[in-house]
Amino acid sequence: MGEEMKRIAVLSALAFALSGCVGNPDFDLRVKDSEYGSAVFRVASIMANVKCELWEAANSVQELPSFRNDTDLKPRDSDRPEPGREFNLQNIFSAVAYVGEMSITLDATEKAGTTPSANFFGWGSDAHPLSVTAEASLSEVGHRESTTYHSVDFERLVKGTDVPAAFPPRAPCRTGTELSGPLKIREILQAGLVASDMNDLSVWPGNVSNPGAKGSGVEDKYSAGQIHAVIDFTTVSSVSGGPTWSLRHFEGPGKGLLSGSRVAKHQLIFTFIPICIREKHQRITATLPYEYKPKLPRGAPRWANYLPPCGTASAAENKAVALGRAHNVNILERSRELRILQ
């Protein structure tokens, strides 16, 4: 029995030694492969897919429905608008300038461990048989997280006369390794604009219904047309196993000898806010609500006529406030997510 006990001790020591292999996990979903050899390229893949979907979404010409503000949801107008005024994302974003922020969180957790078990049998006598079962476990967890924040200017996404637009993607979207989606950013933006088109109950900034009132009226944290969304991608992978040796008086260390798991959670949070009316629409009135020529596209929300022209001092102030507000919203959302996980 002495030799068998020595063998058991060696196996147990080997099992516990093998469990101590967890380190700081990489941000890539797979450890290594020939195409993406480091986390840097994984991050580039995420950014490329997000930018590609943003460009596709902002330049979508799919016509959106425009309803009456009633529960019967009948179409508001049956006549066709002039060319260039159709209700779609490209026309809206070519008229209304949006800015905002998106945050990208990369979160990876790796766990490795061992759960050896042994069954000692055949001891004692026929009259008094003895069997002993022993189990042990040891696990280690490595966790790594990083969040980056990026400003987004829709004037760089949709072509106009005021700001040079970014080049369209040369390759199809949703072909990268990370966040290959579809993220469905287009549907999120479309839903936000359809809801804004139907909202004639907005609280206007600056007490526009009472121009004699002092102060700004509505606080900066409130904004008509703000679009906010959270997109999560989680990948879970695990493996377990181990050999089983059967000796005269021993069976072990069991199939649960070694185990490992990896959870990779990628999260995209964005907040977009309208700030001004782009250059191709010229303001022709000096009092609120403004009128623009040519007219804003069909489906442009009613609050759009309360936005100043881009290039003015008030538009620059709106942009600075909007970027700060978008960052605060994203920070609050991230804090809420962390509280839920605790």
Side-chain angles (χ1 to χ4, degrees):
M1 186 185 303
E3 290 298 322
E4 291 184 3
M5 293 302 295
K6 290 181 181 179
R7 193 173 301 155
I8 293 170
V10 172
L11 292 173
S12 299
L14 176 63
F16 282 102
L18 289 174
S19 69
C21 60
V22 174
N24 200 359
D26 294 332
F27 280 143
D28 49 353
L29 289 176
R30 290 165 288 179
V31 179
K32 297 292 177 185
D33 59 35
S34 59
E35 185 178 2
Y36 295 99
S38 70
V40 174
F41 291 104
R42 301 284 187 178
V43 174
S45 177
I46 291 173
M47 289 299 298
N49 276 308
V50 171
K51 287 170 56 181
C52 191
E53 283 217 27
L54 270 174
W55 192 95
E56 273 194 350
N59 287 277
S60 171
V61 295
Q62 179 183 359
E63 189 165 4
L64 302 177
S66 183
F67 301 108
R68 296 191 315 190
N69 290 306
D70 205 346
T71 54
D72 60 6
L73 295 180
K74 291 184 179 179
R76 178 175 291 130
D77 298 306
S78 57
D79 59 309
R80 298 294 300 173
E82 310 88 278
R85 292 193 64 237
E86 297 87 357
F87 186 19
N88 59 48
L89 294 182
Q90 186 182 67
N91 287 339
I92 294 295
F93 291 132
S94 67
V96 182
Y98 272 74
V99 297
E101 180 189 85
M102 65 179 182
S103 66
I104 297 177
T105 298
L106 311 179
D107 188 306
T109 301
E110 286 185 354
K111 180 179 180 180
T114 178
T115 309
S117 62
N119 183 24
F120 303 90
F121 53 88
W123 294 359
S125 62
D126 293 339
H128 302 283
L130 177 63
S131 178
V132 178
T133 300
E135 293 184 358
S137 64
L138 177 67
S139 63
E140 293 183 354
V141 178
H143 177 252
R144 191 180 184 192
E145 177 186 306
S146 174
T147 300
T148 56
Y149 298 89
H150 312 270
S151 60
V152 179
D153 191 338
F154 277 69
E155 289 183 283
R156 292 281 291 142
L157 294 172
V158 181
K159 184 179 179 181
T161 59
D162 34 18
V163 178
F167 291 109
R170 289 181 293 181
C173 300
R174 297 170 290 279
T175 55
T177 301
E178 306 293 324
L179 280 181
S180 56
L183 304 176
K184 297 188 177 180
I185 295 177
R186 183 183 69 182
E187 287 84 347
I188 294 171
L189 297 179
Q190 288 175 331
L193 289 176
V194 169
S196 293
D197 173 44
M198 296 188 66
N199 179 18
D200 59 354
L201 305 174
S202 294
V203 177
W204 310 119
N207 282 321
V208 294
S209 60
N210 185 10
K214 296 181 179 180
S216 61
V218 180
E219 295 182 29
D220 289 337
K221 64 182 178 181
Y222 298 103
S223 175
Q226 178 173 295
I227 300 174
H228 173 75
V230 180
I231 303 171
D232 287 333
F233 274 68
T234 302
T235 301
V236 180
S237 56
S238 62
V239 62
S240 64
T244 297
W245 291 279
S246 294
L247 307 175
R248 181 179 179 184
H249 298 292
F250 165 76
E251 182 175 333
K255 295 182 179 180
L257 173 63
L258 298 176
S259 64
S261 65
R262 178 181 179 84
V263 178
K265 178 180 178 180
H266 298 328
Q267 184 180 71
L268 172 67
I269 302 175
F270 62 72
T271 302
F272 301 137
I273 299 173
I275 58 170
C276 58
I277 302 301
R278 298 184 66 177
E279 190 177 84
K280 74 173 184 177
H281 298 275
Q282 298 297 313
R283 183 174 60 181
I284 60 176
T285 61
T287 58
L288 293 169
Y290 301 127
E291 290 186 25
Y292 286 92
K293 185 178 181 181
K295 291 182 178 180
L296 299 178
R298 172 182 288 182
R302 288 156 180 77
W303 46 254
N305 291 94
Y306 290 83
L307 295 175
C310 296
T312 61
S314 56
E317 182 180 355
N318 284 354
K319 186 172 187 177
V321 170
L323 288 172
R325 184 188 306 143
H327 180 70
N328 290 338
V329 171
N330 287 356
I331 290 292
L332 288 174
E333 180 65 45
R334 184 79 187 117
S335 299
R336 186 186 71 86
E337 292 279 335
L338 292 176
R339 287 196 302 270
I340 291 174
L341 294 175
Q342 289 176 353

